[in-house]
């Protein structure tokens, strides 16, 4: 699969030099539709948040912000497509922990995310949630660990793709608890849930928005959140760290653009996102997904992504996982 990607979409990154001399952005930016690439399937947590923000930006900047789902390879197809686009502000990338994780997890990426993108804006922070099939016998994290150890290799966990925080939260859990589970990657958590609900796959450490929706709908059972303490929007769900001390996986959502994107465009977008995160209606919609708004300057967001990249490098090494 990865060989195909390298020879196909990833190979296009080599052409990025063709766009080095792209014309400067119009002072009236944006004066045409903006394409916002996301690496996961429609209906998943990233897609939900992207569409909430895209609608606000469309309404307030006078041009349509079009969400495009470029699924596969843990979000790296979308990242490669964005990096290969003209740096004019009309192609953006939805940034999440998968971009920080992929730097160390994938051994043969033809791009360097920190080098080849510029940070634009932070949107929010959120936790993941461990949910299991209703047919699964465990009702607490400790019962889950006990059952897993009594049935090594017989439990499978879904993810929204290799290198996502959904995947790596489970890998960190495996490493810290010595649970033997089988990874089943999907092209997005929305695609995985039918198999979890039917117990073909037993669990997922999904981003809170979709996990919370499924749990509240009674389709799955919530066992714990991956934040170090209980999360404000689901205070009745224990933190996994209450059972597994030191366990933590808190995610972030934001926007980046291809390297070379004009600074004035970055500032326009950053200011717009900052204004959006002051809008009570938008903040309420993000709260419904379980997210906490987290506005930052481009420099602050860049530091966050760099820090997360280093943090997840240590987790990848600790868990002993990689993708060639």
């Amino acid at each position: 699969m990865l060989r195909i990607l390298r020879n196909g979409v990833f190979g296009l990154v080599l052409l990025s030099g063709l766009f080095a001399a792209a014309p400067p952005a119009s002072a009236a930016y944006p004066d045409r539709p903006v394409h916002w690439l996301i690496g996961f399937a429609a209906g998943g947590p990233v897609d939900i948040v992207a569409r909430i923000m895209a609608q606000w930006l469309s309404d307030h900047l006078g041009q349509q912000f079009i969400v495009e789902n470029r699924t596969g390879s843990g979000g790296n197809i979308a990242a490669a497509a964005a990096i290969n686009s003209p740096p004019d502000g009309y192609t953006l990338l939805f940034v999440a922990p998968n971009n920080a994780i992929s730097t160390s997890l994938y051994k043969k990426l033809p791009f360097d995310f920190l080098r080849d993108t510029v940070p634009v804006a932070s949107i929010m922070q959120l936790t993941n949630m461990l949910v299991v099939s209703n047919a699964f016998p465990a009702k607490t994290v400790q019962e889950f660990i006990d059952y897993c150890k009594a049935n090594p290799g017989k439990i499978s966990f879904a993810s929204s793709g290799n290198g996502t925080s959904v995947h790596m939260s489970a890998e960190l859990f495996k490493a810290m608890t010595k649970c033997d589970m089988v990874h089943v990657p999907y092209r997005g958590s929305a695609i995985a849930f039918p198999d979890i609900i039917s117990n073909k796959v037993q669990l997922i450490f999904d981003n809170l928005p979709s996990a919370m929706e499924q749990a509240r709908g009674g389709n799955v059972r919530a066992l714990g959140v991956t934040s170090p303490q209980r999360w404000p929007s689901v205070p009745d769900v224990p933190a996994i760290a209450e059972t597994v001390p030191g366990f933590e996986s808190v995610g972030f959502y934001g926007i980046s653009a291809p390297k070379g994107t004009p600074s004035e465009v970055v500032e326009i977008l950053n200011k717009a996102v900052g204004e959006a995160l002051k809008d009570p209606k938008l903040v309420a919609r993000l709260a419904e997904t379980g997210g906490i708004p987290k506005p930052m300057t481009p420099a602050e967001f860049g530091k966050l992504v760099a820090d997360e990249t280093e943090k997840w490098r240590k987790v990848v090494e600790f868990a002993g996982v990689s993708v060639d």
Side-chain angles (χ1 to χ4, degrees):
M1 174 64 178
L2 289 177
R3 184 179 297 113
I4 294 172
L5 292 174
R6 287 196 297 272
N7 292 337
V9 175
F10 284 166
L12 294 175
V13 176
L14 298 176
L15 300 177
S16 60
L18 294 176
F19 299 114
S26 167
Y29 177 87
D31 61 7
R32 63 181 189 271
V34 177
H35 293 261
W36 194 6
L37 309 187
I38 70 172
F40 304 100
V46 170
D47 182 76
I48 292 169
V49 173
R51 292 182 189 278
I52 291 172
M53 182 59 69
Q55 186 61 59
W56 194 99
L57 293 172
S58 298
D59 292 342
H60 290 78
L61 291 182
Q63 291 291 337
Q64 188 175 7
F65 279 67
I66 303 168
V67 173
E68 294 187 9
N69 303 86
R70 304 284 186 94
T71 64
S73 189
N76 287 316
I77 288 178
I83 288 169
N84 188 54
S85 299
D88 55 10
Y90 290 93
T91 302
L92 306 175
L93 177 68
F94 193 106
V95 182
N98 62 286
N99 301 112
I101 294 166
S102 291
T103 298
S104 53
L105 183 69
Y106 285 79
K107 303 306 180 185
K108 298 179 181 179
L109 287 179
F111 60 81
D112 182 314
F113 189 80
L114 293 178
R115 181 195 65 203
D116 296 333
T117 65
V118 293
V120 173
S122 166
I123 297 173
M124 71 184 212
Q125 290 185 337
L126 75 166
T127 185
N128 289 351
M129 179 186 281
L130 166 59
V131 296
V132 300
S133 164
N134 286 327
F136 194 77
K139 292 181 171 58
T140 67
V141 173
Q142 188 59 58
E143 288 180 4
F144 177 92
I145 295 171
D146 294 342
Y147 184 89
C148 186
K149 290 186 175 180
N151 298 271
K154 296 181 181 180
I155 299 173
S156 56
F157 69 93
S159 80
S160 49
N162 287 315
T164 61
S165 70
V166 178
H167 171 207
M168 292 307 298
S169 293
E171 293 290 355
L172 180 60
F173 184 85
K174 285 175 58 180
M176 294 183 70
T177 62
K178 308 304 180 185
C179 281
D180 181 8
M181 302 185 292
V182 179
H183 179 210
V184 183
Y186 291 77
R187 285 179 173 265
S189 60
I191 301 171
F193 267 105
D195 285 353
I196 300 167
I197 294 168
S198 65
N199 201 37
K200 291 180 181 178
V201 180
Q202 283 68 55
L203 65 126
I204 189 171
F205 284 76
D206 197 23
N207 292 162
L208 186 60
S210 54
M212 181 171 59
E213 179 182 4
Q214 295 288 346
R216 286 178 174 172
N219 298 321
V220 295
R221 183 187 309 121
L223 297 189
V225 293
T226 62
S227 50
Q229 293 87 32
R230 298 192 181 205
W231 199 251
S233 58
V234 284
D236 56 326
V237 179
I240 293 172
E242 295 174 28
T243 304
V244 186
F247 183 88
E248 177 183 352
S249 177
V250 177
F252 62 92
Y253 286 170
I255 305 172
S256 286
K259 181 181 179 181
T261 298
S263 59
E264 60 268 27
V265 169
V266 171
E267 289 301 325
I268 289 170
L269 290 168
N270 183 271
K271 181 179 179 181
V273 172
E275 290 299 318
L277 297 179
K278 296 176 184 177
D279 184 329
K281 292 182 179 179
L282 182 134
V283 170
R285 293 192 68 189
L286 293 183
E288 290 173 357
T289 73
I292 298 175
K294 206 73 174 179
M296 295 182 181
T297 66
E300 289 170 340
F301 183 53
K303 183 178 186 305
L304 171 66
V305 176
D307 290 345
E308 287 290 304
T309 298
E310 176 60 18
K311 180 189 81 174
W312 283 109
R313 180 190 64 78
K314 294 177 181 178
V315 173
V316 167
E317 292 178 355
F318 178 62
V321 295
S322 66
V323 178
D324 292 327

